[in-house]
Amino acid sequence: VQLQASGGGLVQPGGTLRLSCAASPSVFSINALGWYRQAPGKQRELVAAITDRGNTNYADSVKGRFIISKDNAKDTWYLQMNSLKPEDTAVYYCNRASYYPPHHPLDAWGQGTQVTVSS
């Protein structure tokens, strides 16, 4: 299964973005999906994860601002990012995740999408 993240861009502080993660060719093996990010000079970190039962987990830094979801009809996952801050600037990736926290990434990394929050 290949996962492709998209939807990044340049946004002002306080703005919103919605990232998408599409899977091909099949998603039957994805029981949990995580969004991760890596800022310059920092380690990659989990941002949010969702299981096939709809259980979600968020990093403390994004709780109340980001929402992870899945459109079953489209086999696509989303990360709605609201009230963006400059510290949210990073390359964002999606990956299969281990089912339970801390939701370790399970597969090789695909191409991420750059999110830049700046005025």
Side-chain angles (χ1 to χ4, degrees), residues 15-19 65-66 79-84 92 115:
T16 65
L17 277 176
R18 189 178 77 160
L19 306 184
R65 299 189 297 121
F66 290 11
L79 184 68
Q80 178 67 41
M81 304 188 295
N82 304 317
S83 302
L84 282 161
Y92 285 70
V115 172

Side-chain angles (χ1 to χ4, degrees), residues 45-94:
E45 62 176 354
L46 175 73
V47 175
I50 186 169
T51 71
D52 55 0
R53 294 188 177 184
N55 296 319
T56 58
N57 281 295
Y58 296 92
D60 288 343
S61 59
V62 306
K63 281 181 181 177
R65 299 189 297 121
F66 290 11
I67 302 171
I68 188 171
S69 63
K70 184 190 176 188
D71 184 330
N72 290 317
K74 296 182 178 180
D75 287 337
T76 300
W77 291 258
Y78 301 98
L79 184 68
Q80 178 67 41
M81 304 188 295
N82 304 317
S83 302
L84 282 161
K85 303 175 181 181
E87 51 264 43
D88 294 318
T89 295
V91 179
Y92 285 70
Y93 304 84
C94 56

Side-chain angles (χ1 to χ4, degrees), residues 24-47:
S24 64
S26 173
V27 300
F28 73 93
S29 64
I30 300 179
N31 298 318
L33 186 285
W35 281 99
Y36 305 81
R37 68 185 180 188
Q38 186 167 23
K42 295 187 177 181
Q43 289 188 335
R44 192 153 14 203
E45 62 176 354
L46 175 73
V47 175

Side-chain angles (χ1 to χ4, degrees), residues 104-115:
H104 291 298
L106 298 180
D107 295 327
W109 294 104
Q111 187 172 358
T113 186
Q114 175 71 47
V115 172

